[in-house]
Amino acid sequence: MPKNKQILLDNRPEGEASASNFKLVEAETPALKEGEVLVRHHFLSLDPYMRGRMNDAKSYAAPQPLGQVMQGGTVGEVVESRNPKFAPGDKVVGMGGWQEYSVVAADQPGALRKVDTTHVPLSHYLGAVGMPGVTAWYGLVKIIQPKQGQTIVVSAASGAVGSALGTLAKARGCRAVGIAGGPDKCRYVTEELGFDACVDYKQHADASSLSKALKEACPEGIHGYFENVGGMVMDAVMLRMNAFGRIALCGMIAGYDGKPIPMAYPQLILTNRLAVEGFIVSEHMDVWPQALQELGTLVGSGKLRPRESVAQGLAAAPEAFLGMLKGRNFGKQLVKVS
């Protein structure tokens, strides 16, 4: 069996996360038992939710255990199988974590899923046609519930979730407006993803200024908002929400270092009778087949053209992860393992 390089969570961050929280080790790969599959990872996914799990704090998911492989989504290839449902050469998506290989008890529900790479590149099953894409689909379809002609806004619009959200909104006849950081990301959002407008939050020092820019981009106000960020960005959007608007609360990256995120205008929830709902996409597995079918069609037809930032080699994962938390990535952040 091959040697297996792994990245463990060595210690918990105090405040901002750093590369010293992680440890690169090499381990033996155990022999397969009946029903198990050995997967060689090609790409691993880096996602903002991982930062919250590094803390030993009460949340929707258990903290990442110390001294164990960092958990996360992976795509790769079966290299050995003792399970009749999988054969060497099968391309698969799972939760193999930050390591080169994983041994998977493939009969467990949701542990491993075969994917077709004929029209969809393997890496996209960690982004647009994976958990981030389904996250966008659920927040839009089930929470925002858009109607044709409405204005839908998403923060972190150039990222894996935001890019899918805008494309899904446009497919439903909506006006899609993104919020992103920097002219390059804003150009990508409008020119490649087809959003109607994109506001560069880095050009604005406070919520009032950002809100004025949103007023220009959203002349009929905002009917639905998909929140990935929190903080000043959310405050600015709240000032432009229409009565009976709906907000899907997916991420609060502004607070991933554990600091409080004050909300400047909570009274607007009452004034505008807003519906605000937080959600975790893994709690809604019933919608995944429908969502993945639509997302796969959008990518396969070229209507959704997701961008990827790819770090090379397992050892690059910690720095790529920290960079993603600061917005240095462009699109979905991946690590090419092999």
Side-chain angles (χ1 to χ4, degrees):
M1 299 293 280
K3 294 281 188 182
N4 185 19
K5 288 181 180 175
Q6 304 172 319
I7 292 180
L8 318 179
L9 181 62
D10 187 56
N11 56 84
R12 300 200 186 277
E14 296 180 12
E16 193 171 321
S18 71
S20 64
N21 298 134
F22 305 96
K23 184 178 182 182
L24 178 66
V25 300
E26 188 171 89
E28 300 288 337
T29 304
L32 296 185
K33 300 173 186 171
E34 200 61 39
E36 291 184 335
V37 171
L38 178 65
V39 179
R40 182 177 67 213
H41 301 152
H42 290 192
F43 295 92
L44 65 88
S45 175
L46 301 180
D47 299 285
Y49 78 85
M50 296 172 175
R51 175 60 189 87
R53 298 196 65 227
M54 291 171 70
N55 297 332
D56 188 10
K58 184 178 183 298
S59 185
Y60 59 82
Q64 162 71 39
L66 286 176
Q68 293 189 22
V69 174
M70 277 291 291
Q71 296 164 3
T74 49
V75 288
E77 182 178 345
V78 173
V79 291
E80 187 179 339
S81 176
R82 295 192 62 186
N83 189 302
K85 297 174 188 173
F86 295 90
D90 284 347
K91 299 298 190 295
V92 291
V93 58
M95 289 291 288
W98 295 19
Q99 54 184 343
E100 293 177 326
Y101 293 87
S102 60
V103 173
V104 184
D107 286 328
Q108 292 182 359
L112 206 61
R113 177 170 58 90
K114 279 192 266 194
V115 294
D116 183 357
T117 57
T118 307
H119 302 293
V120 177
L122 182 61
S123 59
H124 285 354
Y125 285 103
L126 291 175
V129 195
M131 181 271 290
V134 180
T135 299
W137 190 96
Y138 185 89
L140 181 71
V141 174
K142 297 298 186 180
I143 297 178
I144 296 173
Q145 301 173 16
K147 295 179 174 62
Q148 187 165 348
Q150 290 186 334
T151 297
I152 308 300
V153 174
V154 60
S155 55
S158 67
V161 175
S163 58
L165 189 286
T167 306
L168 291 165
K170 291 297 293 180
R172 285 157 175 78
C174 296
R175 177 176 173 80
V177 176
I179 302 172
D184 290 342
K185 290 183 178 180
C186 286
R187 267 194 302 275
Y188 164 66
V189 167
T190 54
E191 295 176 10
E192 290 190 44
L193 294 175
F195 280 59
D196 296 282
C198 188
V199 177
D200 182 357
Y201 73 85
K202 290 187 175 180
Q203 297 297 314
H204 303 278
D206 53 42
S208 176
S209 173
L210 180 56
S211 185
K212 286 175 185 172
L214 282 168
K215 186 176 182 179
E216 271 187 49
C218 308
E220 296 182 8
I222 297 170
H223 300 92
Y225 177 48
F226 193 102
E227 177 61 285
N228 286 309
V229 175
M232 180 190 87
V233 172
M234 187 172 185
D235 289 339
V237 172
M238 291 287 287
L239 290 166
R240 302 265 69 90
M241 289 296 298
N242 290 338
F244 303 103
R246 304 178 70 86
I247 298 176
L249 195 57
C250 167
M252 296 288 259
I253 200 167
Y256 281 163
D257 286 339
K259 296 173 185 173
I261 316 172
M263 191 175 186
Y265 309 106
Q267 70 272 27
L268 292 174
I269 298 173
L270 172 60
T271 306
N272 288 327
R273 287 84 82 208
L274 303 178
V276 182
E277 183 176 341
F279 73 100
I280 306 301
V281 75
S282 59
E283 295 175 349
H284 304 282
M285 298 305 294
D286 57 309
V287 308
W288 282 57
Q290 181 185 356
L292 289 171
Q293 183 175 11
E294 181 177 355
L295 292 158
T297 301
L298 287 171
V299 170
S301 65
K303 291 180 180 175
L304 173 53
R305 290 182 284 180
R307 186 79 73 94
E308 297 175 331
S309 293
V310 183
Q312 299 295 323
L314 182 67
E319 288 295 348
F321 174 68
L322 299 171
M324 177 201 63
L325 293 177
K326 294 183 181 298
R328 293 182 190 140
N329 60 304
F330 200 143
K332 173 66 187 175
Q333 181 63 63
L334 300 167
V335 176
K336 191 174 190 302
V337 182
S338 65

